[in-house]
Amino acid sequence: MINHQPKTTIMLNNWLKIAFINYKKNWLSTIINLFGLTIGLTGFMLILMHWNDEESYEKWNPKKDLIYGSQIYNKKDNAYGATIPYIMAERAVKVIPEVKDYVLFNGSGVGYKMTTKKKTVFQKDGMLVSGNFFNFFPFN
C-alpha cells in the first residue's frame, strides 16, 4: 500500500503525537509552562494597551504641537504641582513672547448642579476651566 501523504504532514503528525505523550508524562511542567506563558502574554498585552493609550492621548487635537503644560515647584513640600495661579499665567503672556494664550484647569472632581428652564442635571466629577478652553481643545 502506498502512502500519498506528503512527508511534512507525516512528520508533523508524529511530532504532535510525541509532544502530547510528553505533555501527559510531565503534566506538572506543562501546567507551569502554560501558566507562565499566560502571565507573560497578559502582561505584554496590558503594557501594549497602556503604551497605545499614552501615545494616542492628544493625537486628535490639530493644535497639539502648539500646546504646552506648565508646572510649579513648591519648595516647602519639595513637590511639583500641575496647576499654576491665574496671576502667573496672565503674567507669562505679558513677559514671555512665545506664550500667546493660556487655559486653566481645576479638576477637583466636584459635582455640579446645572439648571435650565426645562431640566436640572447633576454632573458628577466635573472640571472647572477658563473661558477660552475650546480655543485650545476643539470638541464638537
Side-chain angles (χ1 to χ4, degrees), residues 88-102:
M88 187 181 284
E90 199 172 72
R91 178 87 172 133
V93 171
K94 292 177 185 173
V95 175
I96 304 170
E98 290 84 8
V99 177
K100 305 291 184 211
D101 201 0
Y102 63 89

Coordinates of all heavy atoms in Angstrom, one line a residue, residues 88-102:
M88 N -0.1 84.2 37.6 CA 1.1 83.7 37.0 C 0.9 83.4 35.5 O 1.8 83.8 34.7 CB 1.7 82.5 37.7 CG 3.0 82.0 37.2 SD 3.6 80.5 38.0 CE 4.1 81.2 39.6
A89 N -0.2 82.9 35.1 CA -0.5 82.6 33.7 C -0.7 83.9 33.0 O -0.2 84.1 31.8 CB -1.8 81.8 33.6
E90 N -1.3 84.9 33.6 CA -1.5 86.2 32.9 C -0.2 86.9 32.7 O 0.0 87.5 31.7 CB -2.5 87.0 33.8 CG -3.1 88.1 33.1 CD -4.2 88.8 34.0 OE1 -3.8 89.5 35.0 OE2 -5.4 88.6 33.7
R91 N 0.7 86.8 33.7 CA 2.0 87.4 33.7 C 2.9 86.7 32.6 O 3.6 87.4 31.9 CB 2.7 87.3 35.0 CG 4.0 87.9 35.1 CD 4.0 89.4 35.4 NE 5.4 89.8 35.6 CZ 5.9 90.9 35.1 NH1 5.1 91.6 34.3 NH2 7.1 91.2 35.3
A92 N 2.7 85.4 32.4 CA 3.5 84.7 31.4 C 3.2 85.2 30.0 O 4.1 85.3 29.2 CB 3.3 83.2 31.5
V93 N 1.9 85.5 29.8 CA 1.5 86.0 28.4 C 2.2 87.4 28.2 O 2.6 87.6 27.0 CB 0.0 86.1 28.3 CG1 -0.4 86.8 27.1 CG2 -0.7 84.7 28.4
K94 N 2.3 88.2 29.2 CA 2.9 89.5 29.0 C 4.4 89.5 28.9 O 5.0 90.2 28.2 CB 2.5 90.4 30.2 CG 1.0 90.7 30.2 CD 0.7 91.6 31.5 CE -0.8 91.8 31.6 NZ -1.2 92.4 32.8
V95 N 5.0 88.6 29.7 CA 6.5 88.6 29.8 C 7.2 87.7 28.8 O 8.2 88.0 28.2 CB 6.9 88.2 31.2 CG1 8.4 88.1 31.3 CG2 6.4 89.2 32.2
I96 N 6.6 86.5 28.5 CA 7.2 85.5 27.6 C 6.6 85.6 26.2 O 5.4 85.4 26.1 CB 7.0 84.1 28.2 CG1 7.6 84.0 29.6 CG2 7.7 83.1 27.3 CD1 7.2 82.7 30.3
P97 N 7.4 86.0 25.2 CA 6.8 86.3 23.9 C 6.3 85.0 23.2 O 5.4 85.1 22.4 CB 8.0 86.8 23.1 CG 9.2 86.7 23.9 CD 8.8 86.3 25.3
E98 N 6.8 83.8 23.6 CA 6.3 82.6 23.0 C 4.9 82.2 23.5 O 4.2 81.4 22.8 CB 7.3 81.4 23.2 CG 8.6 81.5 22.5 CD 9.6 82.4 23.2 OE1 9.4 82.8 24.3 OE2 10.7 82.7 22.6
V99 N 4.5 82.7 24.6 CA 3.2 82.3 25.2 C 2.2 83.3 24.6 O 2.2 84.5 24.9 CB 3.3 82.4 26.8 CG1 1.9 82.2 27.3 CG2 4.3 81.5 27.3
K100 N 1.3 82.8 23.9 CA 0.2 83.6 23.2 C -1.1 83.6 24.0 O -1.8 84.6 24.0 CB -0.1 83.1 21.8 CG 1.1 83.0 20.9 CD 1.7 84.3 20.5 CE 2.8 84.1 19.6 NZ 3.8 85.1 19.7
D101 N -1.4 82.5 24.7 CA -2.7 82.4 25.4 C -2.5 81.3 26.4 O -1.5 80.6 26.4 CB -3.8 82.1 24.4 CG -5.2 82.5 25.0 OD1 -5.2 83.0 26.1 OD2 -6.2 82.3 24.3
Y102 N -3.5 81.2 27.3 CA -3.4 80.1 28.3 C -4.8 79.7 28.7 O -5.8 80.4 28.4 CB -2.8 80.7 29.6 CG -3.5 81.8 30.3 CD1 -4.5 81.6 31.2 CD2 -3.2 83.1 29.9 CE1 -5.2 82.6 31.8 CE2 -3.9 84.2 30.5 CZ -4.9 83.9 31.4 OH -5.6 84.9 32.0

